[in-house]
């Protein structure tokens, strides 16, 4: 009939964009799913190659660390990724040290809660005797201070690092650096995670207070 509604050709292959109701817009669907597939694939590759930094899902909050000085033996630094509970990848710079001593260590994190506002968690240690750590890994996004290295190698392939902890290796072909020793004064660092084989905190003091109170 002349005034009958136009129907899509039932012989048309399913999956093509068309005017007919009920059809799936496969091209649009593919565009929407590409980001999720890419993240999943990236996570799978990172897991397979052992380049995920922290051995646990990191929180959604970064924390700040400061120290008047750090002395370390067996230093390595390279790029890697952390992963959170949503399986999102977070780029970080991993600093790995076999044996480290930190003087006047401060660690802080600020949480903002509804109604309550800012709540600060502060941890301090090492004012009299230094904090001692072995196989120390810090996954950071910012680091500053005054540094001195001995026998440093800059631009080494991250998969061939051999001066830091045994697990301190990154992906092949990526930039890395390492040194026999490192000394940093006025250390300021913002990080997602810290791992250590042992972590000895002398004179440990932790407190929670209202308001924003950070190490720096």
């Amino acid at each position: 009939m002349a005034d009958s509604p136009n129907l899509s050709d039932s012989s048309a292959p399913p999956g093509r964009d068309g005017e007919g109701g009920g059809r799936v817009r496969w091209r649009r669907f593919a565009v929407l799913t590409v980001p999720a597939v890419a993240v999943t694939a990236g996570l799978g590759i990172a897991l397979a190659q052992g380049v995920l930094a922290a051995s646990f899902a990191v929180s959604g909050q970064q924390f700040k660390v400061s120290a008047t000085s750090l002395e370390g033996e067996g230093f390595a630094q390279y790029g890697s990724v952390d992963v959170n509970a949503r399986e999102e990848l977070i780029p970080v710079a991993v600093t790995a040290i076999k044996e480290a001593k930190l003087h006047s260590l401060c660690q802080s994190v600020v949480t903002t809660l509804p109604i309550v506002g800012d709540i600060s968690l502060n941890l301090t240690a090492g004012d009299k005797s230094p904090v001692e750590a072995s196989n120390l890994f810090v996954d950071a996004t910012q680091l500053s201070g005054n540094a001195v290295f001995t026998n440093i190698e800059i631009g080494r392939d991250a998969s061939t690092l051999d001066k830091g902890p045994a697990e301190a290796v990154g992906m092949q072909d990526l930039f890395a650096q390492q040194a026999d020793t490192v000394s940093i004064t006025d250390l300021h660092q913002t990080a997602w995670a810290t791992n250590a084989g042992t972590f000895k905190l002398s004179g440990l003091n932790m407190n929670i207070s209202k308001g924003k109170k950070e190490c720096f």
Side-chain angles (χ1 to χ4, degrees), residues 1-10 18-21 23:
M1 296 178 64
D3 56 353
S4 298
N6 291 327
L7 301 177
S8 59
D9 184 359
S10 60
E19 297 296 331
R23 290 186 181 276

Side-chain angles (χ1 to χ4, degrees), residues 40-134:
T40 303
L43 179 58
I45 292 172
L47 286 168
Q49 296 185 350
V51 298
L52 287 181
S55 57
F56 51 85
V58 300
S59 75
Q61 295 177 279
Q62 294 191 76
F63 55 92
K64 292 185 175 182
V65 177
S66 68
T68 56
S69 65
L70 177 152
E71 292 87 36
E73 296 182 1
F75 166 87
Q77 192 172 63
Y78 54 95
S80 187
V81 289
D82 281 343
V83 60
N84 61 21
R86 295 184 180 86
E87 296 190 345
E88 297 169 332
L89 301 181
I90 303 168
V92 294
V94 177
T95 297
I97 304 174
K98 278 186 178 180
E99 300 291 338
K101 293 183 178 181
L102 300 98
H103 297 265
S104 298
L105 174 70
C106 174
Q107 178 179 301
S108 65
V109 61
V110 178
T111 301
T112 302
L113 300 175
I115 302 175
V116 177
D118 291 335
I119 299 294
S120 296
L121 170 63
N122 289 79
L123 179 152
T124 59
D127 286 337
K128 294 182 178 179
S129 299
V131 171
E132 298 179 6
S134 64

Side-chain angles (χ1 to χ4, degrees), residues 67-72 75 77 95 97 101-103 143-149 181-189:
T68 56
S69 65
L70 177 152
E71 292 87 36
F75 166 87
Q77 192 172 63
T95 297
I97 304 174
K101 293 183 178 181
L102 300 98
H103 297 265
L143 183 152
S144 64
N146 304 304
V148 177
F149 302 92
T181 67
V182 58
S183 176
I184 305 176
T185 58
D186 298 325
L187 171 68
H188 287 175
Q189 192 163 240

Side-chain angles (χ1 to χ4, degrees), residues 74 76 78 96-98 135-137 158-170:
Y78 54 95
I97 304 174
K98 278 186 178 180
N135 293 329
L136 176 66
F137 288 79
S159 67
T160 68
L161 294 169
D162 58 7
K163 291 190 176 184
E167 300 83 3
V169 292

